[in-house]
Amino acid sequence: MRRRRVLLAGLTLAGLLTLAVLTLAAPAGPDLRARGAPLLATLNGLVTAFLPEAPAAVPEPKATARVAVEDGRTIVRLTPEERDRVGLRTAILPARPHRQELTAYGSVLDLARVTELTNAYAGAVAGLQTARARAEVSASAARRARSLGPATMAAAQIETVEATVLTDQAAVTAAESQLRTLAATAQQEWGPVLGRAIVERGPLVTRLIERADFLMQVTLPPGEALNPPPDAAFAEVPPQSDRVPLRLVSPATRTDPRIQGQSFFYRVSGAGGLLPGMSTMAFLPAARSATGVLVPEDAVVHGEGGTWVYRGMQGGYVRHPVRADAPLSADAFVVEDLPDGTEIVLKGGQALLSEEMKGQIRVSGDDDD
């Protein structure tokens, strides 16, 4: 490389010297430019031969549009690398019948009244046992007094003993009446299942009092009915909306005044995250079914005032609407207007929606230009 540069410098110097000689030897005038032109052209050729050629301009690759509108649909297309980067995951899902779930409203009840009735009934049972014991003692004393007769005991003493017997028997009657009243009150307020558990202090009420379980009242929307109610249901725990199982206790003895629908009592584990006073959504399996593609809740995206799911089409992905009143089954949406074998985007739908929105902004900007 150094030799080439030296040779080039030598040739340039020689050319300049020759041009100087011609200039001095020839008379001044317009012929000087004509005489020096061939020499300059030769010198330019020599210099160009030793200079490296300039690299040809490489055209910049045209960016491939990720968003395109075809046949009235907005299609988002991503390369395999882009799909991996956003964590896109799809699955081919069939369209089949799914047992429908009814959305209901649940509220965790305060069980202070259950505790009060349970303790009151237990106290009434103890009072009845005490009254019966006193009545037995007084009855035994009256029998002895009668057997001894007036010869041994004064008539006044016998009368006193017999009066005590009558008083103790009245106390027994009053205690029995209180016990029946409390049992009837428990059944009227909480139904036969819970009422019997209160009277017997059964395991159900014991778990409720000890807060191992909580009691939830689940109310269906007006116009919906389930007969008989399902043995198992689910409730959502806010704010993550995790599902916890519910176990049927009995039909409720009252409805939620805010909803005015059919109500049931369910129990839920005290470790599930719900607390007395909380309101939540509940889901009860119904007898009817809905036919369609079962789309998980995580696959649904929200935007532009609607609810959507992305499906595969023409080498890309397009948005498909999910109705606000779409049937539910197993914590998923039953989309009835999707064909069998549709490719559904299970994860990464939010990234597709963002890409689609950015594409629409770019198209809008081009139109403004």
Side-chain angles (χ1 to χ4, degrees):
M1 190 60 149
R2 176 178 292 179
R3 291 179 181 178
R4 181 178 296 179
R5 291 177 180 175
V6 172
L7 180 58
L8 178 61
L11 289 173
T12 305
L13 181 59
L16 292 174
L17 291 173
T18 304
L19 182 61
V21 171
L22 290 175
T23 304
L24 293 174
D31 293 339
L32 177 60
R33 182 176 298 177
R35 291 180 182 180
L39 178 60
L40 292 176
T42 303
L43 181 61
N44 185 41
L46 292 173
V47 173
T48 304
F50 286 97
L51 291 176
E53 294 183 0
V58 179
E60 295 184 0
K62 187 178 181 180
T64 303
R66 295 191 182 98
V67 181
V69 178
E70 300 176 5
D71 299 330
R73 297 186 180 94
T74 303
I75 302 178
V76 182
R77 293 187 175 92
L78 300 180
T79 64
E81 294 77 11
E82 290 170 336
R83 290 196 293 268
D84 292 339
R85 186 171 65 250
V86 301
L88 199 72
R89 188 166 67 87
T90 66
I92 305 295
L93 300 180
R96 61 178 58 167
H98 302 277
R99 187 177 182 184
Q100 193 171 340
E101 284 182 341
L102 295 182
T103 303
Y105 308 92
S107 57
V108 185
L109 302 178
D110 184 0
L111 296 180
R113 179 60 177 163
V114 171
T115 304
E116 178 186 345
L117 282 173
T118 304
N119 292 336
Y121 192 86
V125 169
L128 176 60
Q129 291 174 347
T130 302
R132 284 175 175 172
R134 289 177 178 173
E136 289 179 1
V137 171
S138 61
S140 177
R143 285 193 297 271
R144 285 197 305 271
R146 293 189 192 99
S147 63
L148 293 175
T152 307
M153 297 183 64
Q157 291 179 331
I158 296 176
E159 291 176 357
T160 301
V161 170
E162 290 180 348
T164 303
V165 170
L166 294 176
T167 301
D168 290 342
Q169 288 178 346
V172 169
T173 302
E176 290 175 344
S177 175
Q178 183 181 10
L179 208 62
R180 288 193 298 269
T181 300
L182 287 172
T185 301
Q187 293 207 15
Q188 288 174 2
E189 292 187 10
W190 299 100
V193 176
L194 272 172
R196 189 180 310 111
I198 290 172
V199 168
E200 298 173 357
R201 203 181 181 91
L204 171 60
V205 164
T206 301
R207 290 183 62 85
L208 294 176
I209 293 175
E210 294 176 352
R211 297 173 69 92
D213 289 336
F214 291 128
L215 190 67
M216 176 180 287
Q217 182 172 351
V218 176
T219 305
L220 292 174
E224 296 285 358
L226 288 175
N227 292 307
D231 293 332
F234 295 93
E236 284 188 349
V237 180
Q240 292 83 7
S241 299
D242 296 330
R243 281 197 169 197
V244 294
L246 304 177
R247 288 158 288 180
L248 178 67
V249 175
S250 68
T253 54
R254 55 187 178 274
T255 187
D256 190 322
R258 300 167 298 177
I259 304 167
Q260 301 290 322
Q262 188 181 17
S263 288
F264 311 102
F265 287 144
Y266 282 87
R267 59 190 177 108
V268 60
S269 172
L274 294 172
L275 293 172
M278 279 187 173
S279 296
T280 183
M281 302 299 296
F283 303 92
L284 285 69
R288 60 179 182 266
S289 62
T291 301
V293 174
L294 196 63
V295 176
E297 187 176 0
D298 293 342
V300 174
V301 296
H302 304 274
E304 294 189 329
T307 305
W308 315 87
V309 63
Y310 275 91
R311 56 173 299 192
M313 179 179 288
Q314 299 178 12
Y317 305 98
V318 299
R319 267 192 292 163
H320 187 86
V322 178
R323 299 192 340 254
D325 59 344
L328 295 175
S329 178
D331 198 20
F333 295 95
V334 181
V335 184
E336 298 173 297
D337 55 352
L338 282 175
D340 185 37
T342 301
E343 182 186 14
I344 297 297
V345 175
L346 301 179
K347 288 187 178 180
Q350 195 63 46
L352 292 176
L353 181 62
S354 299
E355 194 63 43
E356 182 178 342
M357 295 299 103
K358 288 189 293 185
Q360 292 180 359
I361 293 173
R362 285 194 295 267
V363 171
S364 176
D366 294 342
D367 292 342
D368 293 340
D369 294 341

